[in-house]
Amino acid sequence: MIKNPLLFIGNIFNQKKYKNIIAQIKAQSPILETKTEEELKDIIEKIKRRVPTEGLNNVLPDWFAITQEISYRTINLKHFDTQLLAGIHLHEKKIVEMKTGEGKTLASTLAVSLNALSKKGAHVVTVNEYLAERDQQYMGKLYKGLGLTTGLILDKCTTSEKQAGYNSDITYVTNSQVVFDFLRDSSTYVRENIVQRPFNYCVIDEIDSILIDEARTPLIISENLEENNIRKLNEANNLISLLKETVHFVIDQKQRDVNLTEEGYQRAAQLVGKPTLYDLNDSYALEILNALKAHLVFKRDKDYIVLNNKVMIVDEFTGRVMEDRRWSQGIHEAVEMKEGVPIGNITKTKTGITYQNFFTLYPSLSGMSGTAITAKKEFQEIYNLNVVEIPTAKPMIRKDLNDYIYQTSDSKWKAVVNQTKECFTKGQPILIGTANVEKSELLSMILTREKIPHQVLNAKPENVTRESEIVALAGQRFGVTIATNMAGRGTDIILGGNPVFKVKNKLKELILEFQKGDINKQPLSNSKEEINELLRDLITEYQEKRTLKNLEEDLQALPYSLDIGLTSLVIIYNFFYNNESKIWEKENKLVREAGGLFVLGTERAETRRIDNQLRGRSGRQGDPGTSQFYVSVEDELLKNFGGDRIKTALTMLVEDKDSPLEGKMLTNSLEKAQEKVEAYYFDIRKNVFEYDEIVNEQRKKIFRIRNEFLWQENAGLDLLALNEALVEQFLVLDEINSSLVTEEIGMDTRSSKKEKELEKMREFPRDYENWVGQFSHIKIDETLDDAKKISEKIQKQTEEELLISNDLRTGQIKLSNDEIITRMQSRRILEMIDTFWTDHLERMNYIRDGIGWRSYGQENPLHAYNAEAIKSYQAMYEEINLSMIYYFLRDPLLKS
């Protein structure tokens, strides 16, 4: 029986709809295959001309068909039906889940190129610069064939390079770079420094990593205020060793927090020689709590590494170092003190935004991932994005085994090593996933002791630089690879190894042997004469036509650089690739026979998505493979969620501590624990989003106002309008006074009120001059005894004076350097806006920290925060207006 007939009918309709579109696309393929290059160009131009009148949806089948044909001709790849389906969903502003190796990158070219036809820009957002550069170079050939331009935004790009990149039809950029460029644009004082144009369409690769895993992390542009109090940080760092857990403080591992007990507060205050830790002039509470967190919660080689005498944060989801990121609220400084490295300065947030709020600025947003389905609810509730699972092009034959659960960590690591030995002995490649740097280093040490050759991929810089190479070769026979995380690595693990990377490495090694001397005299290893000749031709041609530096760059960019590389590079690459591909075919067969890639997880992650990202590295495109997780009751997940129950079961059912317990029921129990964690973090992210959304609406308003001032030609007119508004504010009479006096008010009272009104009007010129300077022509007619008439006359006189003053000021500006004065006006206004906006953000941070306590007074904290945000924003707005009037009308350079 069908539970929901309407949903069933909808699914049938949608399937029929997409099948019809795909049929329309494929029907054009035989025709397009016969067309010449010139004929295809004509077809492309005709489709482009249709877009303004017909819209993107109507040209979709034709455009996808031509894109598929151009793709085959330029990069020798033709979209599968599943990729065509993914492209349609991406255009429809959805998230597509495609398993690893199913070709997300190629599928995205359909929707990206289609939306680029609007001439408003299309952004492809990736998680690292390697992927952005790789995809822009490779897919750029396809886009060029379609007559579209592509741009690449890297951190090292200059302002002009970024402007060119963002103005391209299609822009490749990392998630952090696009946000920081937005924040810099939103806080610049010079319009020529703006690099982005209004947002249009965006595809986010590994969208769950960005919009979920990093959703709680605000991206902030800060300004240095002052140096930290090193003495206080040092005192706090030293005295915490005198505090005892449970007696003086308690640790909340789930919340990653530490709290002092009542006795702990008293003991800490005694140690610092204060009656209280909350002394208004010299508080110690934050420093002591941060010192405790730094030592007890934040772990080296897990949460951060120390590199070049700096504390650098490690992204728990990608395993990468997050450069230029610092923890807020004094945590980073406390960790720096703990590690004995230089302490950074106190900073103040100038502007900032979360990924949650930033990406909702795009009118059209879509995304791709191999593991989005488990977060389907969150994507729908927070981002209003539907998740669609795309079937694999070939059947999935990977074996996902039940978890092995051990009583101790030692037992688990012994089993991991034994499984690694077993795989290595028979030549089956194995990928071992670890939770953090510390554990990857531990396992590496054990394998080294066991004399098992292996590669390590973690946040250590020496490993990060070889990331693509390590991943590319992880599928070769006898390959043993340890990785902290496999999200967003980009490179596929090909069984038998990746022949392209092997060719690159071989060429680099051979050329490194060549010293930059006389090539005819310099010996070149023991290679055959044919290879020697090819190498001589390669180096000679680059020395004559380009440089050896260009050769190094082209080698690094292979195979994408073959189109722009010199002839000798193409010849030697093809020579080695032809040889290597024959070897690969044999190796691929042997690895398949050995069982394909074995993925071994050394513990369950907090979310199923992270586990699925690791597991998904095996079984790509119909390959054989196996995945299994080795877990112990001492792992973090089990300790925090249900470990005692499983530990009891293990003790009862398994006598040998080194023997695991295995079963579908236990695996399901672990996944239930993960679901609890996912729900817990979802609530936190939703809470963060709801609070930040309040400030985000204000952020949009203030950025819009700021942008208007930045681009306007004459700020004087706005100042004039503000000044007139201030006059009205000075002249507003009390509501009671300006209304008809009721009979209930006695004659004496009415007379008194009237006198006060008249006195207020007579005092106006002096009060107003305190703000705007001398207005000598404003005179009070003492014969008038009606406050309203006086008010109207003063307003008329004042506005006349303002107009005269403004005309004189405008004339002076024109006599001076008009552009410089105008820019000076705009800059001063922008500085005022930024100053008060920064103060508003600081106020909201303080309010946010304590707003939770409102719940004890039966008040909804979110509603209370919203009310406080409105009050703070209104106060900020008034401060900006008054400051603009005060500074500009009293500025000697701009006054008449």
Side-chain angles (χ1 to χ4, degrees):
M1 184 176 176
I2 298 170
K3 291 183 179 179
N4 189 335
L6 291 176
L7 180 62
F8 179 71
I9 292 169
N11 288 337
I12 292 175
F13 175 78
N14 285 335
Q15 288 172 9
K16 186 176 179 182
K17 167 191 167 185
Y18 296 124
K19 282 180 179 178
N20 287 340
I21 295 173
I22 291 171
Q24 291 176 50
I25 297 167
K26 293 178 71 176
Q28 300 184 51
S29 187
I31 302 168
L32 294 172
E33 287 173 2
T34 65
K35 301 293 184 182
T36 64
E37 298 294 328
E38 289 303 316
E39 288 173 329
L40 288 179
K41 286 181 182 178
D42 289 339
I43 293 170
I44 290 168
E45 290 307 312
K46 285 178 182 177
I47 297 173
K48 288 179 178 179
R49 287 195 292 270
R50 287 168 52 196
V51 171
T53 54
E54 296 184 35
L56 297 179
N57 290 339
N58 288 324
V59 304
L60 184 149
D62 297 336
W63 184 257
F64 277 25
I66 196 74
T67 302
Q68 189 181 44
E69 179 60 27
I70 295 296
S71 175
Y72 186 70
R73 296 195 186 195
T74 53
I75 59 178
N76 201 32
L77 293 174
K78 194 165 188 175
H79 302 80
F80 299 141
D81 289 4
T82 52
Q83 291 171 320
L84 294 174
L85 179 61
I88 297 168
H89 285 301
L90 286 172
H91 171 65
E92 292 179 340
K93 298 186 277 189
K94 297 175 186 173
I95 297 170
V96 298
E97 174 174 299
M98 297 179 74
K99 302 304 180 188
T100 302
E102 290 296 306
K104 294 192 296 289
T105 304
L106 185 63
S108 69
T109 60
L110 297 162
V112 169
S113 61
L114 176 64
N115 282 272
L117 298 182
S118 67
K119 294 298 179 184
K120 296 178 182 178
H123 291 177
V124 183
V125 175
T126 67
V127 293
N128 60 54
E129 290 194 345
Y130 163 73
L131 293 177
E133 192 166 11
R134 183 202 69 176
D135 293 349
Q136 189 264 345
Q137 289 175 341
Y138 195 25
M139 298 303 155
K141 299 174 186 178
L142 164 57
Y143 296 132
K144 186 177 180 182
L146 292 168
L148 300 171
T149 59
T150 59
L152 174 65
I153 309 296
L154 302 174
D155 188 51
K156 65 182 180 182
C157 288
T158 63
T159 298
S160 59
E161 288 171 339
K162 286 184 178 181
Q163 288 168 340
Y166 281 117
N167 282 315
S168 300
D169 294 319
I170 297 159
T171 306
Y172 282 85
V173 61
T174 65
N175 52 301
S176 59
Q177 189 66 54
V178 70
V179 177
F180 280 119
D181 283 340
F182 168 76
L183 292 176
R184 281 188 282 265
D185 280 358
S186 302
S187 56
T188 186
Y189 299 124
V190 183
R191 65 182 71 159
E192 287 79 11
N193 287 343
I194 291 178
V195 297
Q196 293 176 340
R197 53 175 166 163
F199 296 142
N200 175 42
Y201 176 77
C202 176
V203 172
I204 305 176
D205 193 13
E206 304 297 345
I207 190 169
D208 50 343
S209 290
I210 296 169
L211 292 191
I212 292 181
D213 296 338
E214 296 195 52
R216 289 178 288 164
T217 306
L219 286 89
I220 293 168
I221 291 181
S222 304
E223 53 187 358
N224 289 332
L225 293 182
E226 56 186 278
E227 291 186 358
N228 269 291
N229 189 327
I230 305 296
R231 175 190 59 80
K232 192 182 289 187
L233 287 170
N234 190 48
E235 279 185 57
N237 187 66
N238 291 333
L239 72 81
I240 60 167
S241 61
L242 303 175
L243 301 178
K244 297 177 182 178
E245 188 176 353
T246 68
V247 177
H248 298 122
F249 62 85
V250 289
I251 304 172
D252 187 338
Q253 292 293 354
K254 290 183 185 178
Q255 295 276 2
R256 289 175 62 79
D257 201 4
V258 180
N259 289 301
L260 290 171
T261 63
E262 184 62 36
E263 187 177 341
Y265 275 111
Q266 294 174 1
R267 176 61 174 154
Q270 181 186 24
L271 289 169
V272 296
K274 296 265 181 190
T276 174
L277 293 180
Y278 291 103
D279 187 327
L280 291 177
N281 298 317
D282 192 21
S283 172
Y284 271 83
L286 183 63
E287 284 78 10
I288 290 172
L289 286 170
N290 283 341
L292 285 167
K293 290 177 192 175
H295 282 268
L296 302 171
V297 176
F298 289 81
K299 307 295 185 183
R300 182 169 177 163
D301 289 339
K302 179 184 176 185
D303 300 299
Y304 65 92
I305 63 171
V306 177
L307 176 66
N308 298 329
N309 220 22
K310 285 176 63 178
V311 169
M312 304 184 79
I313 301 172
V314 174
D315 187 331
E316 63 179 304
F317 297 104
T318 65
R320 295 188 180 89
V321 169
M322 298 193 289
E323 294 187 36
D324 301 323
R325 295 270 192 100
R326 291 179 67 84
W327 288 302
S328 58
Q329 306 294 323
I331 290 291
H332 209 96
E333 291 79 9
V335 174
E336 287 171 331
M337 176 58 71
K338 164 191 167 183
E339 295 295 343
V341 301
I343 311 293
N345 290 338
I346 295 174
T347 60
K348 185 177 184 180
T349 299
K350 185 177 180 183
T351 185
I353 195 169
T354 61
Y355 285 123
Q356 285 176 321
N357 287 124
F358 171 77
F359 282 106
T360 56
L361 297 175
Y362 283 90
S364 295
L365 179 67
S366 61
M368 309 178 291
S369 171
T371 51
I373 285 294
T374 55
K376 187 174 183 176
K377 181 184 176 184
E378 184 164 350
F379 280 123
Q380 178 59 52
E381 286 194 22
I382 293 184
Y383 303 104
N384 197 27
L385 291 171
N386 291 322
V387 181
V388 179
E389 189 172 10
I390 305 297
T392 56
K394 295 179 181 179
M396 173 68 73
I397 61 172
R398 182 187 67 228
K399 297 175 185 176
D400 295 328
L401 305 178
N402 290 326
D403 295 9
Y404 277 163
I405 305 178
Y406 295 85
Q407 294 186 41
T408 66
S409 292
D410 287 344
S411 299
K412 178 184 73 173
W413 290 116
K414 285 178 188 176
V416 169
V417 173
N418 288 335
Q419 182 61 59
T420 305
K421 284 180 180 178
E422 183 182 326
C423 289
F424 180 72
T425 301
K426 64 179 181 179
Q428 182 180 17
I430 182 169
L431 173 66
I432 308 169
T434 61
N436 52 55
V437 176
E438 180 184 22
K439 289 177 181 174
S440 68
E441 297 288 320
L442 168 67
L443 182 56
S444 176
M445 182 181 69
I446 297 170
L447 294 183
T448 301
R449 191 175 63 207
E450 296 291 330
K451 298 182 179 177
I452 299 175
H454 59 279
Q455 299 288 335
V456 179
L457 179 55
N458 58 27
K460 295 288 184 71
E462 62 269 23
N463 299 322
V464 171
T465 55
R466 296 178 55 241
E467 176 179 319
S468 57
E469 177 191 344
I470 293 171
V471 176
L473 301 180
Q476 64 187 356
R477 266 198 314 149
F478 305 105
V480 177
T481 308
I482 303 169
T484 50
N485 194 288
M486 292 306 296
R489 297 298 181 183
T491 309
D492 285 339
I493 297 178
I494 299 173
L495 300 185
N498 190 320
V500 171
F501 276 86
K502 288 189 175 182
V503 170
K504 285 173 65 171
N505 288 343
K506 189 169 287 186
L507 281 173
K508 287 177 185 177
E509 287 171 11
L510 288 170
I511 291 170
L512 277 174
E513 291 177 17
F514 177 79
Q515 304 298 319
K516 295 178 183 179
D518 185 346
I519 63 170
N520 295 314
K521 294 178 181 177
Q522 184 67 32
L524 287 170
S525 71
N526 297 319
S527 304
K528 295 178 182 178
E529 185 54 38
E530 183 180 8
I531 296 177
N532 281 347
E533 194 62 37
L534 289 172
L535 286 166
R536 287 193 181 93
D537 290 345
L538 175 68
I539 295 172
T540 300
E541 188 174 15
Y542 268 88
Q543 283 182 327
E544 290 176 354
K545 297 180 180 179
R546 294 185 186 171
T547 65
L548 291 177
K549 178 67 175 174
N550 294 139
L551 172 58
E552 183 182 332
E553 291 169 354
D554 287 349
L555 282 170
Q556 187 61 35
L558 283 172
Y560 317 119
S561 58
L562 290 176
D563 286 352
I564 59 172
L566 297 178
T567 305
S568 57
L569 178 62
V570 177
I571 291 171
I572 197 169
Y573 176 84
N574 288 335
F575 173 84
F576 278 105
Y577 185 79
N578 290 336
N579 290 335
E580 195 60 52
S581 61
K582 292 172 185 175
I583 298 170
W584 172 78
E585 287 176 5
K586 296 176 183 176
E587 288 293 310
N588 178 265
K589 184 180 178 182
L590 291 170
V591 172
R592 282 173 164 276
E593 290 171 352
L597 179 66
F598 193 111
V599 168
L600 192 159
T602 58
E603 64 184 83
R604 284 281 189 166
E606 288 185 330
T607 66
R608 290 167 293 167
R609 285 184 307 100
I610 304 302
D611 290 343
N612 290 339
Q613 287 164 0
L614 176 64
R615 181 181 277 132
R617 286 293 164 175
S618 179
R620 64 180 290 278
Q621 296 185 6
D623 284 343
T626 305
S627 74
Q628 190 169 29
F629 285 84
Y630 285 42
V631 181
S632 92
V633 293
E634 295 177 355
D635 292 346
E636 289 294 321
L637 180 71
L638 287 179
K639 278 200 295 187
N640 294 334
F641 294 90
D644 291 338
R645 185 164 49 86
I646 295 175
K647 188 172 185 178
T648 301
L650 272 172
T651 306
M652 291 172 60
L653 298 173
V654 182
E655 293 183 7
D656 182 5
K657 288 188 176 182
D658 289 340
S659 296
L661 190 62
E662 175 209 6
K664 188 65 179 174
M665 187 179 73
L666 283 168
T667 299
N668 289 341
S669 295
L670 288 170
E671 291 183 352
K672 289 290 182 185
Q674 288 176 309
E675 288 177 21
K676 287 181 183 177
V677 180
E678 289 166 5
Y680 171 74
Y681 282 128
F682 171 45
D683 288 340
I684 291 177
R685 287 189 293 266
K686 190 174 181 181
N687 187 259
V688 168
F689 180 75
E690 288 171 343
Y691 277 95
D692 198 47
E693 186 63 15
I694 292 168
V695 176
N696 191 48
E697 290 303 312
Q698 298 174 345
R699 183 186 291 111
K700 289 177 184 176
K701 290 177 187 175
I702 205 74
F703 282 4
R704 185 171 63 250
I705 293 168
R706 198 184 187 286
N707 202 46
E708 287 171 2
F709 275 112
L710 183 65
W711 285 100
Q712 69 180 356
E713 296 302 325
N714 186 1
L717 295 176
D718 290 293
L719 293 168
L720 180 62
L722 280 170
N723 222 323
E724 289 174 348
L726 184 65
V727 172
E728 291 180 12
Q729 184 178 326
F730 267 100
L731 294 174
V732 169
L733 299 177
D734 187 280
E735 195 173 322
I736 297 175
N737 298 345
S738 60
S739 64
L740 292 173
V741 181
T742 64
E743 294 180 2
E744 295 175 8
I745 301 176
M747 183 62 70
D748 292 341
T749 306
R750 277 181 289 173
S751 175
S752 174
K753 298 264 182 203
K754 182 178 179 180
E755 285 301 319
K756 285 183 179 179
E757 288 177 2
L758 289 169
E759 185 63 27
K760 178 180 179 183
M761 294 302 102
R762 293 188 177 106
E763 288 293 320
F764 169 76
R766 182 175 59 78
D767 291 339
Y768 189 64
E769 285 171 15
N770 288 336
W771 275 94
V772 300
Q774 184 67 35
F775 278 80
S776 57
H777 297 286
I778 297 176
K779 302 292 184 184
I780 296 295
D781 189 342
E782 296 293 340
T783 63
L784 291 174
D785 62 354
D786 187 286
K788 187 174 182 183
K789 289 181 180 178
I790 296 175
S791 174
E792 289 171 352
K793 193 163 186 178
I794 290 174
Q795 186 167 348
K796 184 178 178 182
Q797 289 181 28
T798 307
E799 286 174 354
E800 287 174 358
E801 288 291 334
L802 286 171
L803 286 169
I804 293 168
S805 177
N806 188 68
D807 288 343
L808 290 171
R809 189 159 40 252
T810 303
Q812 183 178 345
I813 289 172
K814 288 182 177 177
L815 287 173
S816 306
N817 190 319
D818 194 354
E819 184 177 355
I820 291 176
I821 299 294
T822 302
R823 289 291 181 95
M824 190 181 297
Q825 280 184 330
S826 293
R827 184 182 179 94
R828 191 72 64 83
I829 292 171
L830 295 174
E831 286 173 346
M832 291 176 195
I833 292 172
D834 288 349
T835 297
F836 290 112
W837 172 247
T838 299
D839 290 344
H840 171 64
L841 290 180
E842 287 289 307
R843 276 198 301 271
M844 294 317 300
N845 282 337
Y846 287 127
I847 292 169
R848 174 75 183 277
D849 288 341
I851 203 73
W853 293 102
R854 301 282 187 97
S855 61
Y856 290 99
Q858 306 303 310
E859 190 176 359
N860 185 311
L862 185 63
H863 293 169
Y865 182 78
N866 186 43
E868 294 289 349
I870 292 170
K871 283 196 293 186
S872 177
Y873 185 81
Q874 288 172 341
M876 175 203 73
Y877 204 79
E878 290 176 11
E879 287 171 329
I880 291 172
N881 284 344
L882 291 174
S883 296
M884 284 165 62
I885 293 166
Y886 182 81
Y887 283 110
F888 273 85
L889 292 182
R890 295 184 69 86
D891 192 322
L893 182 63
L894 303 177
K895 280 176 64 177
S896 58

